[in-house]
Amino acid sequence: MRGISSGVYYRRIIAAGSGGSVIDCVFCRIIARQTAADIEYEDAHVMAFKDIYPKAPVHVLIVPKRHIASIAELTDDDAELIGRCFLVARRLGETKGFADKGYRVSVNTGPEGGQVVYHVHFHFTAGRQRGHGA
Ligand code: AMP
Ligand code: ZN
């Protein structure tokens, strides 16, 4: 498996049980504490951790704990969970002192949207921006 540093991320089937399979997803592994991350926030539904390659002075990824590949895969059942992610963004804005100064919450979707990791995540960026986003 090539590292993400190559700019390419592969999902890998690691187990095939009785009629199902488990996708090896880097963010699911962080949520399961199988891969280390600098966790900023966690509750029963959402986790937030520092981006390993920050594009701004503050760069935190907010992820639903349930695996959803991308915005393109969302269903009505995901509405509350996605709303919770935005509430965590608000909380991060407050706890990190950016509630008034402001911050960006962004989502890359699909190949032309720049998505590399196929587990829905919200980029929370704040401070001096370094070429992140339009
Ligand atoms: P995207 O292009 O929206 O899919 O963004 C994926 C983000 O995940 C990038 O900003 C990466 O730097 C970040 N990333 C990938 N692997 C990890 C990891 N193990 N821990 C923290 N951030 C990661
Ligand atoms: Zn996942």
Side-chain angles (χ1 to χ4, degrees), residues 12-73:
R12 183 166 55 108
I13 305 298
I14 57 170
S18 51
S21 62
V22 176
I23 295 171
D24 185 12
C25 162
V26 63
F27 290 173
C28 283
R29 291 183 67 81
I30 287 172
I31 291 160
R33 299 287 209 287
Q34 293 169 345
T35 295
D38 197 343
I39 296 168
E40 295 266 347
Y41 175 84
E42 181 176 22
D43 63 29
H45 308 282
V46 180
M47 181 181 276
F49 48 87
K50 286 184 179 156
D51 195 296
I52 201 168
Y53 301 120
K55 284 88 182 172
V58 176
H59 190 169
V60 177
L61 301 175
I62 303 166
V63 304
K65 285 190 169 179
R66 179 157 52 80
H67 181 91
I68 304 168
S70 82
I71 291 290
E73 307 280 324

Side-chain angles (χ1 to χ4, degrees), residues 82-96:
I82 296 304
R84 288 179 180 278
C85 290
F86 279 100
L87 291 172
V88 171
R90 188 209 66 196
R91 177 190 286 258
L92 288 173
E94 290 169 356
T95 58
K96 291 184 166 296

